[in-house]
């Protein structure tokens, strides 16, 4: 489950200060306000040893020095420039590829495009992270250097974190001409969201307003129907044609060439080498995240029962007692690195005939591409790669099937693989009937021709075509006010079924991994019992900061809307406010609208009903919508919102309440439309006035945590 968090908080800091002052003033007199500045003044004077301003440490710069930067030529120093024109000149680049990526898809496309460009045209490409360069320096890119922008959109039209500064600049009032910039653009988006590929659309409009010239139509990938890969391949082919026709480049015929090389040289690796630790690129500070640590799963239990035996929903608690430096806040998220299933690992090792060498150490290094970054650790072993570092359960793109055909050891297998992936429609038809992973595809070819053996398939090829293992992000369902060292998450396991063969299921990687240790008897009457494990299993996790925060002022009403596991952060909200009430604090009203299938699917039902009847009596109201309850009409969370529209509208307008939505993107879009309609009717506003109100709410009192 991929979670997208988008900050709708342009002036949240102002709101936070206001709420803080309001809460603070209720406990202070006028004399306190006069005394406080003097106390702060004296404390500052004492802390800074006789000065109002802190004394600067003359050797502080030593903390930030990189001794290795002093080694090498002057050219190496230029690598740190934030001027893209200087970087182009230093690298003698013929093509610039900017990327803005949240989950790594756009970055992966950028790297791929650079590799292919170099081979096809015998030219040099520069792959550039948008956050590494000052946007204004785009005005200095020469006309002869075509530029590509590959940009992802997440949430409700938000750019990726590393593209925020660039998008803000390019969409602002023009303060620099881009008349010499010739560019192409591709966007990664999802039609389930209202603002499909908004980032690339805004960028194209901004570039055009500054005089830049688009050399081809903008390409767009749509992840809602899993066609992003195909969409990119189609756009990529047209891009190469444009380079030939408009820039006069000469294109060469090339086959597959590995990005990396495998080196086995009797490595001596320390016994305690962290072979299974996640291979993670990027700054945790930049990503507003903690370090990645190994934590034990202290307790787990099933919290829902389903007719489908393959479905379940699990509550897990992760023990952070050994990592005191890591703290979390109510509403934060946690990323989990899954491990591939044993059956799939064994199958791939068997098909590649690596079973006897699965623990053999080897090194991986790029094949002379300065822009290529390793996506897996080195040194490593085949077993470590297939279990922890490569997504061997991932779908196999059509492009990879065609590349695999070149390595087929028999003519019959080669012909069959080329035939099934020759066209987009042919491969789509094949996928309707077959669950395809790399090992399953190799088995398919072997069934066609029993004489086929894949022992000669280069491991470098396998690493090239498989995506790197990505963490899955979950909303934290506990509050540090109640559980400061144990972080809980809520995980739903609901396998996908093949369109033409519904009996064949495709399990989710992370959800299956996180529920795989659940004993079979933890259902029914035992579903709410915590299972403390005698030998806890360990997972790698990273706490990530979120903007999904409760108001600073406790008196602000909150309206929570959730479906399915979207209830997770609201369990934390309820825990926190119940704790505050228990210590004598006054809080505002809380409304929770929750949609699920039926009563057995009401997650955390016992905890919520107990809280309503005790600590939060008269403060928390819960409205459930059951879509599949026997003997009753189907109801969705939107139906309940409509039924209580006037009360919700009053809290959000008259009481300045905060709205929180967590769940599927389609549900969030529906909720937005319903609330806009109810508020417009309540206030007697025009459509334009309702839209203005909606935009104002998004800036300070409207929070969404949704996924596609």
């Amino acid at each position: 489950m991929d979670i997208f968090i988008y900050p709708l908080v342009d002036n949240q800091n102002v709101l936070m200060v206001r709420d803080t002052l309001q809460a603070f003033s209720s406990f202070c007199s006028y004399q306190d306000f006069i005394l406080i500045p003097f106390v702060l003044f004296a404390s500052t004077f004492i802390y800074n040893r006789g000065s109002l301003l802190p004394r600067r440490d003359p050797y502080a710069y030593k903390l930030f020095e990189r001794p290795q930067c002093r080694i090498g030529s002057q050219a190496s120093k230029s690598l740190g420039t934030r001027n893209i024109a200087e970087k182009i000149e230093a690298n003698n680049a013929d093509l610039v590829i900017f990327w803005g990526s949240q989950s790594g898809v756009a970055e992966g496309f950028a790297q791929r495009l650079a590799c292919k460009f170099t081979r096809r045209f015998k030219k040099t490409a520069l792959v550039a992270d948008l956050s590494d360069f000052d946007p204004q320096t785009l005005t200095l890119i020469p006309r002869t250097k075509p530029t590509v922008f590959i940009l992802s959109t997440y949430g409700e039209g938000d750019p990726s974190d590393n593209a925020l500064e660039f998008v803000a600049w390019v969409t602002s009032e023009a303060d620099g001409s881009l008349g010499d910039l010739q560019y192409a653009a591709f966007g990664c988006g999802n039609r389930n969201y209202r603002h499909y590929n908004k980032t690339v659309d805004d960028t194209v409009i901004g570039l055009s307003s500054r005089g830049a010239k688009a050399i081809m139509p903008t390409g767009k990938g749509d992840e809602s129907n899993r066609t992003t890969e195909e969409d990119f391949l189609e756009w990529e082919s047209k891009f190469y044609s444009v380079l030939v026709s408009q820039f006069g480049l000469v294109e060469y015929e090339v086959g597959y060439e590995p990005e990396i090389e495998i080196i086995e040289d009797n490595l001596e690796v320390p016994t305690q080498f962290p072979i299974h630790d996640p291979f993670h690129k990027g700054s945790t500070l930049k990503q507003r995240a903690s370090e990645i640590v190994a934590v034990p799963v202290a307790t787990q239990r099933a919290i829902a029962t389903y007719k489908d035996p393959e479905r379940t929903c699990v509550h897990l608690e992760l023990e952070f007692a050994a990592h005191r430096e890591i703290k979390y806040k109510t509403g934060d998220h946690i990323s989990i690195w899954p491990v591939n299933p044993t059956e799939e690992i064994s199958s791939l090792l068997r098909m590649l005939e690596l079973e006897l060498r699965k623990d053999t150490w080897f090194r991986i290094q790029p094949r002379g591409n300065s822009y290529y970054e390793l996506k897996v650790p080195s040194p490593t072993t085949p077993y470590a790669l297939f279990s922890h570092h490569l997504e061997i359960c991932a779908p196999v793109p059509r492009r990879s099937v065609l590349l695999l055909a070149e390595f087929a050891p028999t003519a019959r297998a080669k012909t069959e693989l080329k035939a099934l992936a020759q066209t987009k429609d042919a491969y789509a038809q094949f996928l309707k009937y077959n669950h395809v992973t790399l090992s399953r595809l190799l088995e398919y070819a072997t069934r066609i021709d029993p004489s086929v053996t894949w022992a000669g398939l280069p491991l470098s090829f396998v690493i090239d075509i498989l995506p790197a293992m990505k963490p899955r992000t979950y909303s934290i369902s506990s509050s540090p006010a109640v559980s400061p060292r144990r972080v809980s998450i809520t995980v739903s396991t609901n396998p996908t079924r093949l369109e033409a063969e519904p009996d064949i299921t495709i399990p989710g990687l992370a959800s299956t991994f996180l529920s795989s240790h659940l004993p079979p008897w933890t259902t029914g009457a035992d579903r709410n019992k915590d299972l403390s494990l005698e030998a806890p299993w360990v997972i790698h996790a990273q706490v990530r900061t979120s903007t999904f925060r409760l108001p600073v002022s406790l008196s602000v009403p909150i309206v929570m809307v959730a479906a399915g596991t979207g209830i997770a952060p609201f369990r934390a909200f309820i825990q926190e406010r119940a704790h505050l009430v228990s210590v004598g604090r006054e809080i505002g009203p809380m409304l929770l609208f929750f949609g699920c299938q039926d009563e057995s699917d009401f997650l955390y039902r016992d905890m919520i009903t107990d809280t309503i009847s005790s600590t939060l009596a008269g403060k928390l109201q819960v409205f459930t919508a059951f879509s599949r309850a026997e003997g009753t009409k189907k109801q969705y969370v939107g139906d309940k919102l409509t039924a209580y529209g006037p009360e919700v509208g009053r809290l959000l307008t008259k009481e300045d309440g905060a709205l929180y939505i967590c769940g599927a993107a389609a549900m969030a879009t529906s909720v937005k439309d319903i609330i806009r309609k109810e508020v417009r009717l309540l206030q007697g506003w025009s459509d334009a006035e309702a839209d203005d109100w909606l935009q104002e709410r998004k800036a300070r009192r409207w929070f969404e945590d949704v996924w596609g």
Side-chain angles (χ1 to χ4, degrees):
M1 176 182 70
D2 291 330
I3 295 182
F4 303 93
I5 306 302
Y6 39 94
L8 307 171
V9 289
D10 293 340
N11 57 352
Q12 185 185 11
N13 291 336
V14 175
L15 180 67
M16 186 177 297
V17 171
R18 192 196 73 179
D19 289 346
T20 302
L21 290 175
Q22 287 178 349
F24 188 65
S25 62
S26 64
F27 297 98
C28 298
S29 65
Y30 289 111
Q31 291 83 355
D32 293 327
F33 281 111
I34 295 173
L35 181 61
I36 287 172
F38 287 101
V39 173
L40 291 175
F41 179 86
S43 299
T44 303
F45 190 80
I46 295 170
Y47 183 79
N48 291 324
R49 301 179 182 180
S51 172
L52 290 179
L53 298 176
R55 297 181 183 275
R56 183 180 179 86
D57 182 354
Y59 298 102
Y61 69 92
K62 293 287 187 182
L63 296 172
F64 306 97
E65 275 192 345
R66 294 182 179 180
Q68 66 271 25
C69 291
R70 297 196 295 266
I71 302 173
S73 66
Q74 184 65 29
S76 67
K77 296 180 182 179
S78 67
L79 296 178
T81 181
R82 290 189 60 82
N83 185 320
I84 186 62
E86 292 179 359
K87 192 68 176 282
I88 292 171
E89 183 178 358
N91 288 268
N92 194 27
D94 302 287
L95 173 71
V96 185
I97 307 172
F98 287 107
W99 61 268
S101 183
Q102 196 70 15
S103 62
V105 175
E107 181 184 3
F109 284 159
Q111 297 285 356
R112 250 172 56 185
L113 184 64
C115 294
K116 286 189 176 182
F117 172 81
T118 299
R119 291 170 183 159
R120 282 175 178 259
F121 299 99
K122 310 303 181 186
K123 299 285 185 179
T124 303
L126 171 64
V127 179
D129 181 336
L130 279 167
S131 64
D132 288 342
F133 299 94
D134 294 324
Q136 299 86 341
T137 62
L138 266 69
T139 60
L140 305 176
I141 296 178
R143 178 181 292 271
T144 56
K145 309 291 185 182
T147 302
V148 174
F149 296 90
I150 303 180
L151 306 170
S152 66
T153 298
Y154 80 111
E156 288 296 301
D158 298 298
S160 59
D161 290 343
N162 74 311
L164 284 170
E165 182 184 1
F166 166 74
V167 174
W169 175 80
V170 81
T171 56
S172 63
E173 293 186 11
D175 59 355
S177 172
L178 294 174
D180 287 336
L181 185 69
Q182 301 193 77
Y183 74 94
F186 183 85
C188 303
N190 188 318
R191 286 191 185 277
N192 284 336
Y193 295 89
R194 180 185 295 269
H195 301 289
Y196 170 62
N197 263 311
K198 184 175 185 295
T199 298
V200 75
D201 286 341
D202 288 348
T203 296
V204 168
I205 292 172
L207 292 173
S208 299
S209 70
R210 294 170 182 266
K213 176 189 175 184
I215 60 177
M216 62 181 291
T218 301
K220 295 181 180 179
D222 182 12
E223 193 56 26
S224 66
N225 53 17
R226 301 294 189 265
T227 61
T228 301
E229 176 76 23
E230 285 288 348
D231 297 331
F232 181 75
L233 287 174
E234 184 178 348
W235 174 88
E236 181 185 34
S237 177
K238 294 177 181 177
F239 175 66
Y240 295 142
S241 299
V242 168
L243 292 180
V244 173
S245 62
Q246 296 189 28
F247 292 87
L249 298 186
V250 178
E251 187 173 8
Y252 298 87
E253 285 293 330
V254 293
Y256 167 77
E257 294 181 21
E259 301 286 357
I260 59 173
E261 57 181 327
I262 305 297
I263 301 173
E264 295 185 29
D265 48 11
N266 298 318
L267 293 175
E268 293 185 6
V269 182
T271 306
Q272 299 301 319
F273 188 82
I275 189 173
H276 299 309
D277 286 3
F279 185 71
H280 183 63
K281 297 183 295 182
S283 165
T284 57
L285 180 62
K286 189 175 181 180
Q287 297 173 345
R288 298 182 300 172
S290 74
E291 295 298 323
I292 303 169
V293 295
V295 293
V297 178
T299 66
Q300 57 186 2
R301 70 177 188 270
I303 56 174
T305 55
Y306 302 96
K307 293 180 180 178
D308 184 347
E310 296 189 62
R311 283 199 66 185
T312 187
C313 190
V314 183
H315 172 89
L316 301 100
E317 295 183 4
L318 315 180
E319 182 60 73
F320 277 81
H323 304 281
R324 296 285 177 179
E325 74 283 2
I326 297 179
K327 296 177 173 59
Y328 75 101
K329 295 182 180 179
T330 303
D332 275 350
H333 303 93
I334 189 166
S335 292
I336 305 293
W337 273 260
V339 177
N340 287 311
T342 303
E343 299 81 4
E344 201 74 27
I345 299 169
S346 300
S347 175
L348 188 53
L349 288 170
R350 185 180 69 257
M351 294 307 302
L352 297 176
E353 298 187 17
L354 289 173
E355 292 170 296
L356 298 179
R357 300 175 55 240
K358 65 186 179 70
D359 296 319
T360 301
W361 289 91
F362 60 86
R363 289 189 294 114
I364 306 171
Q365 66 182 33
R367 287 173 53 95
N369 294 324
S370 60
Y371 47 78
Y372 183 84
E373 294 183 8
L374 291 180
K375 61 183 179 182
V376 294
S378 177
T380 187
T381 67
Y383 187 85
L385 276 180
F386 297 163
S387 60
H388 289 80
H389 303 301
L390 291 172
E391 301 236 3
I392 65 173
C393 296
V396 181
R398 184 168 65 92
R399 165 182 167 271
S400 298
V401 180
L402 294 173
L403 291 175
L404 178 65
E406 299 301 320
F407 291 95
T410 67
R412 184 180 177 186
K414 184 189 295 284
T415 301
E416 180 64 25
L417 288 173
K418 284 187 174 181
L420 72 87
Q422 195 63 45
T423 67
K424 180 178 179 179
D425 292 340
Y427 193 52
Q429 187 68 18
F430 178 76
L431 293 179
K432 287 182 180 180
Y433 293 87
N434 296 274
H435 173 200
V436 179
T437 63
L438 180 57
S439 68
R440 292 166 187 262
L441 185 63
L442 299 179
E443 287 181 355
Y444 172 80
T446 304
R447 287 197 301 271
I448 292 172
D449 185 350
S451 67
V452 166
T453 174
W454 293 103
L457 187 65
L459 187 56
S460 58
F461 172 80
V462 174
I463 297 173
D464 276 347
I465 67 169
L466 288 175
M469 181 65 75
K470 293 188 300 184
R472 273 59 170 177
T473 303
Y474 297 88
S475 297
I476 293 177
S477 56
S478 58
S479 167
V482 176
S483 180
R485 304 313 310 163
R486 279 196 178 183
V487 174
S488 70
I489 57 174
T490 310
V491 181
S492 174
T493 302
N494 187 14
T496 303
R497 297 184 180 275
L498 290 182
E499 182 179 342
E501 296 286 348
D503 290 338
I504 300 177
T505 60
I506 304 177
L509 176 59
S511 58
T512 302
F513 166 66
L514 291 171
S515 62
S516 60
H517 291 71
L518 192 68
W521 61 83
T522 55
T523 57
D526 292 330
R527 71 181 188 138
N528 291 317
K529 293 181 180 179
D530 282 342
L531 299 175
S532 298
L533 307 177
E534 293 182 3
W537 51 293
V538 175
I539 62 177
H540 286 91
Q542 178 186 54
V543 173
R544 302 180 67 89
T545 301
S546 165
T547 58
F548 208 69
R549 292 275 189 265
L550 281 167
V552 174
S553 175
L554 304 183
S555 62
V556 174
I558 61 172
V559 178
M560 303 167 285
V561 185
T565 54
I567 200 172
F570 300 139
R571 176 182 185 266
F573 283 14
I574 292 170
Q575 279 189 344
E576 174 137 328
R577 286 215 158 176
H579 171 75
L580 291 169
V581 170
S582 70
V583 295
R585 306 296 297 275
E586 287 293 327
I587 65 169
M590 305 170 66
L591 269 61
L592 170 61
F593 293 87
F594 179 52
C596 55
Q597 291 186 358
D598 52 35
E599 192 72 30
S600 66
D601 193 27
F602 187 172
L603 308 182
Y604 302 114
R605 178 187 60 206
D606 294 345
M607 170 262 185
I608 291 173
T609 53
D610 288 348
T611 307
I612 292 175
S613 61
S614 56
T615 318
L616 294 182
K619 293 294 184 181
L620 172 63
Q621 298 182 69
V622 178
F623 307 97
T624 53
F626 298 137
S627 61
R628 298 183 187 177
E630 294 183 5
T632 62
K633 181 183 176 182
K634 278 189 176 182
Q635 278 197 325
Y636 296 96
V637 71
D639 299 322
K640 285 292 186 178
L641 268 175
T642 301
Y644 292 90
E647 174 63 9
V648 172
R650 184 188 67 80
L651 288 176
L652 297 181
T653 55
K654 307 296 184 184
E655 303 293 331
D656 195 27
L659 177 73
Y660 299 85
I661 306 172
C662 188
M667 181 272 291
T669 299
S670 173
V671 167
K672 183 188 302 180
D673 292 338
I674 291 170
I675 289 180
R676 177 188 176 279
K677 176 184 176 182
E678 293 298 328
V679 169
R680 182 177 62 80
L681 294 174
L682 180 68
Q683 299 292 106
W685 285 338
S686 65
D687 287 338
E689 288 173 319
D691 289 337
D692 289 342
W693 174 84
L694 198 61
Q695 292 304 314
E696 183 270 337
R697 299 308 292 181
K698 286 184 177 182
R700 61 190 193 91
R701 293 281 200 227
W702 188 297
F703 304 88
E704 297 182 14
D705 181 349
V706 302
W707 53 88

